[in-house]
């Protein structure tokens, strides 16, 4: 059984007439990194909420189909039970902070207290994940005194500390400088190597091309395609879905640098270079 | 407004950490991007320019006149700041009211404010959402609402703090068009960015800050050609520039189209 199974998922927010998620069906394997791309109204964040159980438990509305995470049918289990299986890092890290805690340390502890862990284990995890995200030095600071980039790292650490099997990242590095962004992605790569499953929503297609094993292309709540980054970014109709491929793929298209005997273009600089040199 | 200058500015939040010490920087009609590591002092700089913080030393001048005596309220008519996090800015329960708040606050009549607000919402393509609650909108839409609120105030200078966060291709193109339009209208435009590709694409001038100091300042193309200096500031070159270098070309490219044209010519 796949770690995530989505079957005919449909969802509409209360008071709205259009489906935001319209008949999605796909599965994700353990240890896989799935990228989700699409324009702003495609339903990416809504899908993240549905995977994490915020839909239908927190956001009501019309819900159809079935989402299963780690064998749990999301609709039938409480959020408290779901969070141990799947963790969501919000697009806006300010939304992640509880506002109830005075220090970064307590902020991370908050989620763990709800898991009912013993104190020793809690302290171990808080220290480990704050260090992993390089924010242990900020542990005594007030979360709301942090910069956007620091808050983003704390938000990721507080979700990781719950040690979920699946981690959903909705634009995880939007507030980080390029170096910080690279560091966070290195952490993500280490986690997938250890078997964690990652769902990654990103507008920077270069990041998707580099880290995602497969890419789900959404448009107006519908699933357009689910395939390798090369197949998705080589699609001639991609722009029609509000998505531009990585710069290197655009350049490859213009210069007709492609994989031998195929319609596919490279999606990373390394692959582009290899194909150029082989010409 | 023709220029906004900072002369010999010093500032610190606490006595042991000096953020700026003798900062000299001026802004003119060139659209300017400020890039730099988290903690480089970018947001502090714009808070000083908005009068939300006061320098411990030095002067800030608009068109050569010191603004030391102007209050933050007076400055807000001249310098608009679009916050990084729209939730820091948005507090009304109706989009139109939200966008009208700034104009009303600087003394426009209700009808003027409504006209300005509707025009600004049109510029960000959200005129259909006038009656919505901003909190029912997505983060990217809320960012555009926050942007419209500042546009509606018609300030002489507009400062953006990370406007491309959460924006897709169309959203970025929209913001790019707004920046160009503001520049054509003769307004000063300054933008804090982490997105090097957007900086390369949309701005004439780029300033690189590192630990409160300006380490590069010039034409965007020249600034992004300085790989070693950028790396020292924990920054990267735009993807287009990186690709050209990976292919062994030393020329500095900052637009996709020019690299394609160059490679086609050399093929």
């Amino acid at each position: 059984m796949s770690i995530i199974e989505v079957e005919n998922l449909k969802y509409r927010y209360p008071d709205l007439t259009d489906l935001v998620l319209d008949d999605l069906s796909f599965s994700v394997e353990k240890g896989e990194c799935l990228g989700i791309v699409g324009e702003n109204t495609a339903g990416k964040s809504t899908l993240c909420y549905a995977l994490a159980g915020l839909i239908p438990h927190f956001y009501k509305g019309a819900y159809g189909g079935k989402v299963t995470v780690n064998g749990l049918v999301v609709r039938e289990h409480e959020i408290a039970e779901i969070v141990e299986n799947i963790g969501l890092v919000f697009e806006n890290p300010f939304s992640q902070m509880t506002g109830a805690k005075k220090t970064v340390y307590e902020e991370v502890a908050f989620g763990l207290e709800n898991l009912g862990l013993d104190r020793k284990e809690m302290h171990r995890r808080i220290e480990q994940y704050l260090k992993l995200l390089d924010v242990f030095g900020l542990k005594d600071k007030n979360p709301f005194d942090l910069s956007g980039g620091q808050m983003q790292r704390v938000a990721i650490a507080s979700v990781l500390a719950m040690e979920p099997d699946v981690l959903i990242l909705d634009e995880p590095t939007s507030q980080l400088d390029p170096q910080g962004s690279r560091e966070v992605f290195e952490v993500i790569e280490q986690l997938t190597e250890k078997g964690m499953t990652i769902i990654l929503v990103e507008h920077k297609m270069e990041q998707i091309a580099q880290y995602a094993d497969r890419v789900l292309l959404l448009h107006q709540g519908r699933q357009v395609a689910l395939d390798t980054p090369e197949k998705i970014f080589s699609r001639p109709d991609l722009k029609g879905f509000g998505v531009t491929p990585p710069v290197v793929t655009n350049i490859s298209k213009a210069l007709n640098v492609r994989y031998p005997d195929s319609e596919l273009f490279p999606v990373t600089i390394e692959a582009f270079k290899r194909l150029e040199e082989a010409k | 407004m023709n220029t906004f200058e900072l002369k010999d500015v010093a500032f610190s939040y606490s006595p042991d950490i000096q953020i700026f010490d003798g900062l000299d920087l001026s802004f003119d009609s060139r659209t300017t991007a400020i890039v730099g590591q988290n903690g480089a002092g970018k947001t502090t700089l714009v808070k000083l320019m908005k009068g939300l913080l006061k320098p411990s030393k030095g002067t800030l001048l608009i068109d050569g006149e010191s603004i030391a005596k102007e209050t933050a309220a007076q400055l807000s008519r001249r310098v608009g700041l679009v916050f990084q996090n729209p939730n820091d800015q948005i507090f009304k329960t109706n989009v139109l009211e939200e966008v009208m708040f700034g104009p009303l606050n600087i003394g426009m009549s209700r009808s003027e404010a409504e006209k300005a607000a509707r025009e600004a919402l049109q510029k960000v393509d959200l005129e259909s959402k006038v009656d919505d609650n901003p909190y029912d909108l997505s983060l990217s839409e809320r960012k555009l609402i926050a942007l419209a609120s500042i546009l509606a105030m018609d300030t002489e200078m507009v400062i953006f703090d990370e406007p491309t966060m959460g924006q897709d291709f169309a959203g970025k193109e929209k913001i790019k068009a707004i920046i160009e339009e503001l520049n054509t209208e003769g307004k000063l435009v300054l933008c804090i960015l982490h997105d090097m590709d957007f900086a390369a694409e949309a701005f004439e001038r780029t300033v690189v800050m590192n630990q409160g100091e300006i380490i590069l300042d010039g034409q965007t193309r020249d600034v992004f050609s300085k790989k070693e200096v950028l790396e020292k500031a924990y920054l990267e070159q735009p993807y287009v520039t990186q690709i050209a270098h990976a292919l062994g070309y030393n020329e500095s490219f900052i637009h996709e189209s020019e690299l394609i044209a160059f490679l086609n010519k050399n093929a």
Side-chain angles (χ1 to χ4, degrees), chain B residues 228-248:
Chain B
E228 281 82 32
V229 188
L230 290 169
E231 276 171 3
K232 243 182 256 165
Y234 302 101
L235 301 176
E236 282 176 345
Q237 292 178 306
Y239 283 113
V240 181
T241 320
Q242 288 182 36
I243 293 167
H245 285 185
L247 292 173

Side-chain angles (χ1 to χ4, degrees), chain A residues 133-135 148-158 176 180 183-184:
Chain A
L133 272 301
D134 204 20
V135 282
Q150 290 169 332
M151 212 183 262
Q152 205 148 31
R153 286 169 185 256
V154 171
I156 296 171
S158 62
L176 287 167
E183 284 170 17
V184 166

Side-chain angles (χ1 to χ4, degrees), chain A residues 183-220:
Chain A
E183 284 170 17
V184 166
F185 274 103
E186 274 163 18
V187 169
I188 295 169
E189 208 169 22
Q190 284 171 30
L191 295 168
T192 43
E193 277 162 19
K194 284 185 188 157
M196 187 178 254
T197 308
I198 307 271
I199 308 288
L200 175 65
V201 176
E202 248 312 322
H203 282 302
K204 275 264 168 204
M205 295 305 147
E206 278 78 7
Q207 311 281 30
I208 294 278
Q210 191 160 358
Y211 297 101
D213 299 302
R214 287 188 304 155
V215 181
L216 175 64
L217 171 61
L218 294 180
H219 187 63
Q220 294 176 348

Side-chain angles (χ1 to χ4, degrees), chain B residues 156-177:
Chain B
E156 299 158 72
M157 181 172 200
V158 181
I159 304 175
F160 299 84
D161 195 351
E162 293 286 344
T164 58
M165 179 187 128
Q167 299 296 343
D168 60 5
F169 176 71
K172 284 184 191 172
E173 290 293 308
K174 211 178 290 171
I175 292 167
K176 205 166 115 186

Side-chain angles (χ1 to χ4, degrees), chain A residues 38-41 44 91-95 147-150 153 171 173-180 182-183 203-204 206-207 239 242-251 254-255 269 272-273 276-277, chain B residues 36-39 42 84-88 138-142 162 164-172 194-198 231 234-236 239-240 242-243 245-247 249 256 259-260 263-264 267:
Chain A
E39 61 185 357
N40 277 334
T41 52
K44 304 186 299 295
E91 184 177 10
N92 185 351
F94 300 89
S95 313
S147 72
Q150 290 169 332
R153 286 169 185 256
E171 286 214 66
T173 64
S174 59
Q175 318 227 0
L176 287 167
D177 55 61
Q179 163 92 0
R182 199 164 43 230
E183 284 170 17
H203 282 302
K204 275 264 168 204
E206 278 78 7
Q207 311 281 30
K239 245 190 164 159
V243 176
T244 44
V247 175
V248 72
T249 309
N250 268 338
I251 290 173
L255 299 175
I269 295 181
F272 177 70
K273 247 181 110 173
E276 263 286 295
E277 280 160 8
Chain B
Q37 208 190 350
N38 289 114
K42 304 181 300 291
Q84 178 177 22
N85 179 12
N87 302 354
D88 286 348
S138 68
L139 178 63
S140 54
E141 286 170 327
R142 282 206 302 281
E162 293 286 344
T164 58
M165 179 187 128
Q167 299 296 343
D168 60 5
F169 176 71
K172 284 184 191 172
H194 282 138
D195 185 337
M196 303 300 132
D197 302 289
F198 191 73
E231 276 171 3
Y234 302 101
L235 301 176
E236 282 176 345
Y239 283 113
V240 181
Q242 288 182 36
I243 293 167
H245 285 185
L247 292 173
Y249 298 107
E256 202 176 285
L259 177 59
I260 291 172
L263 292 174
N264 267 326

